Amino acid sequence: MTSPSAIASSPASAARLTLQWEGIAADTTTIRSLDWDRSRFDIEFGLRNGTTYNAFLVRGERTALVDTSHAKFRDSWLPLLATQIDPQAIDYLIVSHTEPDHSGLIGDLIDRNPEIEIVGSKVAIQFLENQVHRPFRSRAVKSGDGLDLGRHPESGVEHRFEFLSAPNLHWPDTIFSFDHGTGILYTCDAFGLHYCSDELFDSDPGAIAPDFRFYYDCLMGPNARSVLQAMKRMEALPPIRTIAVGHGPLLRHHLDLWLGDYREWSTGRSKGEAYAAVCYMSQYGFCDRISQAIARGIGKAEAQVQLVDLRATDPQELSALVGEASAVVVPTWPAQPDSDLQASIGTLLAALQPKQWVGCYDAFGGNDEAIDTVADRLRSLGQNTGFEPLRIRQVPDATDYQRCEEAGTDLGQLLTKEKTIAAMKSLDADLDKALGRLSGGLYVVTARQGEGDGVRSGAMVASWVSQASFDPPGITVAVARDRAIEALMQVGDRFVLNILGEQNHQQLLRHFLRRFPPGADRFAGVNLLEGAAAGGPVLGDALAFLGCRVAQRMEGPDHWIIYAVVEEGNVADTNAATAVHHRKVGNHY
Ligand SMILES: Cc1cc2nc3c(=O)[nH]c(=O)nc-3n(C[C@H](O)[C@H](O)[C@H](O)COP(=O)(O)O)c2cc1C
């Protein structure tokens, strides 16, 4: 530890923004921008724990800064940096990738130090030219290239960076940087999590594991193959002592656990041939986030997914990725694309194959081709519709992202249909019948989050429900991984378990077992007791309800076992009995 720790508060502003400056290894300091209130669906599907943007200062004979911060920290980040080092004394800025939450202050830094040399991948340097609109000195690097900062005069430690290309993690321009002097690997988005706390390191893995998993599913899972490629490159490095991530606590104490998780999840997602190619254009409208929502939905159905950047994928690779996919998802593109993009769109359309499933979504980029034109174009090529065009009429909100995720799940289910049917048939007949003698009650789980236009809600019929603790009172619900409502049952979320009565459950079952299109209001026409419980609608015709809060999620092979603490409850008719679900076989509910 070389520098004293300091917490600097931002000027009084509505949002809680603070800064943390702390030594993490020889001659190495982190500047963490803590964004306490940034909420879920505001940023790339983070959970409710806010997020951080981490930058790093490494001093040898020369000095390098790794990444900057989000522009919202401009008023506090730059002054804090200036108290620690004269910006003109920073020789290099290593840009791990150019997403604005890490690169938002690069322009300001160039203004303060026009001589600073910006080090990044070739694609990152190109992206940056369009972002900062100022001349700057640059050095494009790729896997195996190095940057020697020389020895720090006091510590004697030599800081020599080695770069690793890590395309698609999660932007196409990503590089990892390994400092041979400290064993720190700087990975920016990869291995990160949206979690805001003063805790600098991963000292409490249990506390951050759900967010680590959620972040992986949203941002890394759709590029599982790229994760494995990057991890292979990491294996050739000397021992990694710390992974200095761009979001959340730095990983130091449980590296094997985190790396093992990434390896296991990515290997699982890379199995099998059939995949959906979800195309997007980096730095265009809301393409990035919408494509992630669709990709997350596809992943929930256990289907493979590959995000494809139309701007940064070379024509041959694009043609192969699209041509070999079982499903292709396409954004609306600019009505007047530049020549490179125009060529990519041509390659994409030419690579489409008959019988592929296709879907399209509004990129909401401002001057897009109309979505119906894009949909017609796809239809005229004779493709099968995987989901109806996803129209986005305004800056996308939580409701839009939910709709996109559900459309993705529908598409994913089309790809995994045969596998699912085969799995159902594979049970031994006797075992199947014996398992079928397990019975349960009949329930409707409901959840609602957000307000106004951004409200997200869901409902599902459930019978795999059981009381699981006395003190505090708790229950478990087994929720299939591809259920729409799964997204609303993360740790900390509230939901309502509506317990159905023996006498009147049929009608409710009929309603909630219908197939709802993506984003449909599942409560239309249903009698609700508004405000009866926090967390979700209470069905007026239910026998009783329990208001629950998710405390833990255990990952089963095809269901999440969700343990929730029951916070409130009420019974409408104390004499009535709960509806019971008797089954014959164990391979259906
Ligand atoms: C009697 C019965 C019990 C069910 N129990 C569960 C359950 O416990 N967990 C679950 O994930 N799905 C269960 N399902 C399936 C879902 O209710 C149903 O497929 C779901 O509403 C579809 O919603 P989705 O579009 O969100 O996937 C059950 C279905 C029936 C018919």
Side-chain angles (χ1 to χ4, degrees):
M1 302 281 170
T2 53
S3 91
S5 75
I7 308 280
S9 288
S10 67
S13 62
R16 284 187 303 153
L17 305 175
T18 60
L19 289 174
Q20 190 180 24
W21 173 275
E22 201 129 2
I24 57 165
D27 323 315
T28 308
T29 309
T30 180
I31 317 168
R32 298 205 318 144
S33 306
L34 279 64
D35 189 347
W36 296 88
D37 302 320
R38 195 142 194 199
S39 64
R40 185 171 178 177
F41 286 95
D42 186 19
I43 172 166
E44 303 149 345
F45 306 92
L47 297 188
R48 74 203 46 68
N49 298 313
T51 195
T52 73
Y53 316 101
N54 307 332
F56 306 90
L57 192 67
V58 185
R59 304 174 204 232
E61 259 176 86
R62 291 166 294 281
T63 299
L65 186 64
V66 182
D67 295 318
T68 63
S69 184
H70 194 290
K72 65 163 86 170
F73 282 87
R74 176 171 288 121
D75 294 343
S76 55
W77 195 91
L78 291 159
L80 176 66
L81 180 72
T83 63
Q84 303 296 327
I85 185 166
D86 175 358
Q88 301 209 345
I90 304 174
D91 301 279
Y92 307 101
L93 170 65
I94 298 174
V95 175
S96 305
H97 78 164
T98 52
E99 207 179 2
D101 52 346
H102 306 283
S103 65
L105 301 177
I106 293 182
D108 302 75
L109 208 60
I110 297 171
D111 290 343
R112 283 161 177 75
N113 178 4
E115 290 306 308
I116 195 166
E117 188 169 350
I118 298 194
V119 182
S121 69
K122 194 171 149 206
V123 183
I125 305 287
Q126 278 164 7
F127 282 177
L128 215 52
E129 280 162 5
N130 296 327
Q131 228 177 65
V132 299
H133 306 293
R134 302 164 172 79
F136 59 86
R137 297 177 58 211
S138 67
R139 182 191 298 201
V141 292
K142 54 182 185 328
S143 275
D145 289 350
L147 178 71
D148 197 347
L149 299 185
R151 253 174 234 290
H152 188 276
E154 283 162 28
S155 72
V157 175
E158 186 187 1
H159 296 278
R160 185 167 55 81
F161 281 108
E162 178 178 338
F163 299 106
L164 286 75
S165 299
N168 307 324
L169 303 183
H170 93 270
W171 269 23
D173 57 349
T174 307
I175 50 161
F176 293 173
S177 316
F178 181 73
D179 179 355
H180 282 265
T182 54
I184 298 181
L185 180 70
Y186 299 88
T187 58
C188 205
D189 278 357
F191 305 104
L193 59 150
H194 290 310
Y195 191 91
C196 186
S197 80
D198 291 332
E199 192 65 52
L200 200 53
F201 293 107
D202 55 341
S203 359
D204 183 359
I208 60 173
D211 297 80
F212 184 76
R213 173 64 204 250
F214 195 71
Y215 181 100
Y216 173 89
D217 280 346
C218 296
L219 295 184
M220 299 294 142
N223 289 304
R225 287 188 178 87
S226 304
V227 171
L228 292 175
Q229 277 163 9
M231 290 186 79
K232 206 160 178 55
R233 292 195 183 113
M234 285 162 58
E235 279 165 20
L237 294 173
I240 299 170
R241 296 188 200 291
T242 302
I243 297 187
V245 290
H247 295 293
L250 315 185
L251 308 182
R252 174 171 285 178
H253 302 301
H254 304 276
L255 275 185
D256 288 348
L257 173 74
W258 310 122
L259 291 171
D261 280 349
Y262 257 51
R263 194 167 289 115
E264 185 189 323
W265 298 334
S266 302
T267 307
R269 281 171 173 260
S270 305
K271 281 197 196 119
E273 298 285 296
Y275 66 91
V278 179
C279 302
Y280 74 106
M281 289 162 283
S282 44
Q283 297 186 312
Y284 185 68
F286 286 82
C287 237
D288 192 31
R289 290 187 189 179
I290 297 170
S291 63
Q292 280 163 25
I294 298 169
R296 177 175 142 75
I298 297 171
K300 275 176 66 171
E302 305 284 302
Q304 310 285 329
V305 53
Q306 178 70 49
L307 281 172
V308 182
D309 185 349
L310 293 177
R311 273 194 211 284
T313 311
D314 77 61
Q316 254 177 328
E317 200 189 344
L318 177 61
S319 185
L321 281 172
V322 170
E324 289 163 21
S326 304
V328 182
V329 179
V330 181
T332 53
W333 48 75
Q336 280 150 355
D338 57 57
S339 57
D340 284 352
L341 193 56
Q342 178 83 60
S344 287
I345 295 162
T347 306
L348 160 78
L349 293 173
L352 288 170
Q353 300 294 317
K355 300 232 171 87
Q356 277 173 327
W357 298 100
V358 289
C360 58
Y361 64 95
D362 262 324
F364 202 71
N367 61 345
D368 313 1
E369 199 71 77
I371 193 162
D372 288 322
T373 313
V374 175
D376 286 348
R377 198 73 190 268
L378 296 175
R379 251 194 299 271
S380 69
L381 294 164
Q383 315 294 319
N384 299 320
T385 303
F387 54 75
E388 291 304 317
L390 290 166
R391 294 167 204 284
I392 297 182
R393 296 265 171 263
Q394 48 176 5
V395 170
D397 57 22
T399 316
D400 294 309
Y401 288 124
Q402 181 184 10
R403 188 158 49 92
C404 293
E405 182 176 317
E406 291 182 14
T409 302
D410 283 359
L411 182 65
Q413 285 168 343
L414 291 170
L415 300 193
T416 50
K417 206 168 173 181
E418 283 169 22
K419 202 169 83 186
T420 313
I421 294 170
M424 281 182 163
K425 284 187 182 156
S426 70
L427 276 185
D428 166 83
D430 289 337
L431 187 158
D432 193 13
K433 283 182 203 145
L435 200 56
R437 289 303 181 272
L438 278 175
S439 57
L442 278 168
Y443 313 94
V444 175
V445 178
T446 61
R448 184 181 280 158
Q449 291 175 9
E451 281 166 15
D453 288 346
V455 77
R456 300 187 307 143
S457 64
M460 77 157 191
V461 170
S463 59
W464 293 9
V465 177
S466 173
Q467 181 159 352
S469 63
F470 284 131
D471 186 17
I475 60 163
T476 56
V477 187
V479 180
R481 296 162 78 108
D482 58 348
R483 290 279 164 267
I485 202 170
E486 181 273 343
L488 303 173
M489 298 176 80
Q490 304 297 325
V491 173
D493 286 348
R494 284 165 150 179
F495 67 89
V496 170
L497 185 75
N498 292 273
I499 303 174
L500 306 189
E502 200 178 36
Q503 300 302 328
N504 64 343
H505 64 279
Q506 292 296 356
Q507 207 185 338
L508 287 171
L509 285 192
R510 257 197 310 280
H511 174 85
F512 285 106
L513 286 171
R514 275 189 294 155
R515 190 161 176 80
F516 293 97
D521 175 8
R522 298 186 183 212
F523 300 104
V526 178
N527 172 22
L528 301 177
L529 300 179
E530 284 301 345
V538 172
L539 307 182
D541 297 326
L543 169 59
F545 76 84
L546 300 174
C548 309
R549 188 189 288 275
V550 178
Q552 283 178 42
R553 287 163 54 106
M554 188 183 112
E555 190 169 2
D558 43 27
H559 285 65
W560 289 98
I561 317 303
I562 294 186
Y563 170 74
V565 172
V566 180
E567 296 179 328
E568 57 185 323
N570 211 343
V571 186
D573 179 355
T574 45
N575 295 318
T578 302
V580 179
H581 181 48
H582 291 294
R583 306 183 300 167
K584 288 273 173 0
V585 286
N587 63 3
H588 285 291
Y589 293 108

